[in-house]
């Protein structure tokens, strides 16, 4: 039996999200799975929130906050590396620790897939995941993403390189 997903709402970033954004961007445990390897200042993040157009065609990316039914911000979903010629973009998601394993990631990804298809008219979304992250790989696979590329030694954790899986979903 399929578990019912929690209700989530995706919204634009607000100045009140600065503390959460600061915490996530400066969490060194997340640097291994993304492209960040330096801390961000509150000033730089405040400036980003204030000046982002929140338009994928202007910024080539969109960052949305994920809220649960109680109005709590439980994470962030990013749509980055937007390519308007080929109508594709990469997605990334972070759910804060205390809200993980509750279905929020899946619910948010479902919403972003629908939004990408119906509003942005994208042809495909892709995600790059550490091949050792079987939970994330399984979730994306169950949502129609196909693992078709292994990027050898793609991620550096400060001591070792790890393979990444590139997964695509043709919308």
């Amino acid at each position: 039996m399929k578990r019912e997903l929690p209700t989530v709402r995706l919204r634009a970033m607000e100045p009140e999200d600065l503390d959460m954004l600061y915490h996530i961007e400066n969490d060194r445990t997340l640097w291994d799975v993304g492209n960040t390897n330096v801390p961000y200042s509150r000033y730089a993040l405040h400036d980003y929130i204030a000046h982002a157009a929140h338009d994928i065609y202007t910024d080539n990316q969109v960052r949305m906050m994920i809220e649960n039914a109680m109005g709590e911000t439980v994470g962030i979903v990013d749509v980055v590396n937007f390519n308007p010629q080929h109508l594709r973009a990469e997605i990334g998601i972070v759910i804060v620790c205390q809200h993980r394993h509750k279905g929020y990631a899946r619910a948010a990804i479902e919403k972003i897939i629908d939004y990408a298809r119906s509003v942005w008219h994208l042809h495909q979304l892709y995600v790059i995941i550490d091949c050792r992250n079987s939970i994330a790989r399984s979730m994306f696979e169950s949502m129609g993403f196909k693992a078709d590329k292994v990027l050898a030694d793609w991620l550096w954790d400060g001591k070792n390189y790890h393979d990444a899986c590139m997964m695509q979903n043709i919308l």
Side-chain angles (χ1 to χ4, degrees):
M1 180 190 298
K2 191 175 180 181
R3 181 176 104 176
E4 188 171 323
L5 294 178
T7 299
V8 296
R9 180 175 81 99
L10 303 180
R11 63 167 178 79
M13 289 182 303
E14 299 287 348
E16 295 79 16
D17 297 315
L18 179 61
D19 286 339
M20 176 174 278
L21 189 60
Y22 182 81
H23 171 76
I24 288 172
E25 290 293 352
N26 291 296
D27 182 348
R28 292 191 66 164
T29 64
L30 299 173
W31 291 2
D32 298 349
V33 296
N35 292 321
T36 299
N37 62 2
V38 296
Y40 283 92
S41 69
R42 287 185 186 279
Y43 178 81
L45 294 171
H46 180 273
D47 192 56
Y48 172 74
I49 292 171
H51 294 100
H54 305 292
D55 176 16
I56 199 164
Y57 284 93
T58 301
D59 297 334
N60 287 336
Q61 66 178 10
V62 171
R63 171 169 275 180
M64 293 185 200
M65 307 307 287
I66 306 165
E67 285 187 351
N68 66 15
M70 285 75 67
E72 299 171 296
T73 304
V74 299
I76 299 174
V77 63
D78 291 321
V79 181
V80 298
N81 298 325
F82 170 62
N83 184 308
Q85 178 183 359
H86 301 293
L87 295 173
R88 68 174 169 247
E90 179 180 354
I91 59 173
I93 187 164
V94 174
I95 303 296
V96 294
C97 290
Q98 66 267 33
H99 294 290
R100 290 183 183 156
H101 309 292
K102 297 178 181 176
Y104 292 124
R106 179 183 295 274
I109 296 298
E110 277 189 6
K111 284 199 177 285
I112 209 69
I113 288 171
D114 182 57
Y115 200 85
R117 183 184 293 124
S118 63
V119 177
W120 295 326
H121 308 289
L122 296 187
H123 175 64
Q124 64 180 289
L125 290 172
Y126 67 94
V127 62
I128 297 174
I129 302 171
D130 187 322
C131 290
R132 299 169 302 162
N133 189 342
S134 59
I135 293 172
R137 283 191 4 253
S138 176
M139 180 194 70
F140 279 102
E141 235 170 52
S142 73
M143 300 180 77
F145 285 77
K146 306 264 187 278
D148 59 355
K149 299 274 184 272
V150 173
L151 305 168
D153 289 350
W154 196 257
L155 302 170
W156 170 252
D157 69 7
K159 295 180 183 175
N160 299 297
Y161 284 98
H162 302 280
D163 294 349
C165 296
M166 181 178 180
M167 302 178 77
Q168 294 176 278
N169 186 337
I170 306 299
L171 306 175

